[in-house]
Amino acid sequence: MNGFIGMDVGTSGTKAVLFSEKGEILNTAFQAYALEQPQNGWAQQDPSDWKNAALQTLRTLAQNCAGAVIRGIGVSGQMHGLVLLDAHNTPLTDSIIWCDQRTGDEVQEICRVIGRQKYIELTCNAPNTSFTLTKLLWVCRHLPEVYAKIHKVLLPKDYVQFCLTGKFATDVSDASGTGYFSVRERDWCSEILEAFEIPRQWLPQVYESWEPVASISRETAAYTGLPGDTVVCAGAGDQAAAALGNGILQSGEVSISLGTSGVVFSAVDTRPMTRRGEYILSATVCPGNGTSWA
């Protein structure tokens, strides 16, 4: 019997589920970690906590696999977080995560440099404090010594995938919430990168969610006990993955998630627009901070 693992790098912990080919749940594993809030409105996490939790949950499932031969892993996770790696692929700082609200000035900077409506046209999103771009601009302004050492910029789940495979990759759904991705072109937005002098080589290769990225590394196989040819797919942002799992496939179907944030997610045939002319991909309600469109 073949088995497949779905993993979610969440805000409070990482959960991994082992499924059979028929979709039956064979086993689950979970490991919690801390959320740091050094100032009001700030939210940070240590990327090494995600790495350790991912490896430990995979090890638990490999040891309790119910006779299944594990063939593949799909990783989802919290969106928008900023993970900065140096030339040795070591995190430079804690990750500023999705619910952090320190970047109001950077939202205004985007509107000044790009123009709000132009930015919406480029990304199908309005500039927002949750997006990865505003966090990156905040680091540039407030932590120039860190910014000068950046070698790679990743999202949370993509950092975990790098730790598992040694390859830098992201998927289109998670990339759409960075603030520097063209949804229409399904690639990084050159105009935004150039406007803020963000080197394209800092960013990972973009895949469709279902595409295989790489097999796990020898180190991952040795630690977890998984087969060395276990394939890791590009995966998805948590809300996109949850909507698919809930069967939100046809236009007009809607899921509502009330967790750490509140999210209304709908399948559409064409991109809907608000009265203000903003394209909507999903609506995320952050506690105490109104609604963000991502």
Side-chain angles (χ1 to χ4, degrees):
M1 176 175 59
N2 292 325
F4 302 90
I5 294 175
M7 175 182 290
D8 180 62
V9 182
T11 308
S12 58
T14 289
K15 182 177 184 179
V17 183
L18 174 61
F19 296 92
S20 72
E21 290 177 290
K22 297 180 179 180
E24 303 162 320
I25 296 177
L26 302 178
N27 214 329
T28 66
F30 177 81
Q31 184 161 320
Y33 34 70
L35 169 66
E36 302 294 334
Q37 295 181 286
Q39 295 188 39
N40 185 38
W42 291 27
Q44 302 173 189
Q45 288 184 315
D46 184 346
S48 66
D49 288 343
W50 303 331
K51 172 186 175 181
N52 294 336
L55 290 171
Q56 187 55 52
T57 54
L58 290 176
R59 186 174 188 174
T60 298
L61 293 182
Q63 294 172 348
N64 300 275
C65 61
V69 178
I70 298 172
R71 299 296 190 186
I73 302 169
V75 185
S76 69
Q78 52 173 294
M79 299 176 70
H80 314 305
L82 176 70
V83 182
L84 302 175
L85 304 185
D86 65 14
H88 302 289
N89 298 324
T90 301
L92 286 162
T93 64
D94 281 353
S95 171
I96 305 174
I97 67 169
W98 64 273
C99 52
D100 187 284
Q101 296 295 307
R102 75 184 72 176
T103 60
D105 290 343
E106 286 66 40
V107 171
Q108 296 306 311
E109 180 181 355
I110 291 170
C111 293
R112 185 176 64 254
V113 174
I114 300 289
R116 188 175 188 278
Q117 193 58 40
K118 178 64 174 179
Y119 183 85
I120 292 170
E121 293 171 2
L122 290 171
T123 67
C124 297
N125 283 285
N128 189 280
T129 52
S130 293
F131 288 168
T132 316
L133 175 60
T134 58
K135 298 172 173 66
L136 185 58
L137 297 179
W138 186 93
V139 171
C140 180
R141 176 179 294 179
H142 295 277
L143 300 174
E145 71 285 357
V146 170
Y147 197 85
K149 298 177 182 178
I150 294 174
H151 178 67
K152 286 291 180 183
V153 179
L154 299 176
L155 293 159
K157 82 155 186 352
D158 302 325
Y159 173 69
V160 168
Q161 291 201 106
F162 165 73
C163 293
L164 297 180
T165 66
K167 186 168 182 177
F168 297 111
T170 192
D171 81 286
V172 291
S173 70
D174 219 359
S176 72
T178 60
Y180 43 78
F181 184 78
S182 171
V183 173
R184 292 188 187 89
E185 297 178 3
R186 303 179 88 78
D187 197 6
W188 305 118
C189 181
S190 296
E191 188 167 342
I192 293 175
L193 299 184
E194 291 170 5
F196 296 106
E197 299 182 346
I198 299 170
R200 182 175 280 264
Q201 61 264 30
W202 283 3
L203 308 180
Q205 183 176 344
V206 182
Y207 292 79
E208 296 295 327
S209 293
W210 54 267
E211 289 187 286
V213 171
S215 296
I216 60 174
S217 66
R218 292 180 181 176
E219 293 78 9
T220 298
Y223 180 84
T224 62
L226 291 170
D229 60 354
T230 303
V231 174
V232 179
C233 291
D238 55 357
Q239 294 303 327
L244 182 62
N246 283 323
I248 308 304
L249 303 175
Q250 303 299 321
S251 180
E253 296 177 338
V254 178
S255 68
I256 300 175
S257 173
L258 300 176
T260 312
S261 68
V263 177
V264 178
F265 202 109
S266 177
V268 294
D269 293 326
T270 58
R271 298 184 187 93
M273 299 176 71
T274 70
R275 296 180 201 175
R276 295 178 295 177
E278 299 164 3
Y279 290 103
I280 305 171
L281 298 186
S282 68
T284 303
V285 180
C286 302
N289 292 292
T291 303
S292 64
W293 305 102

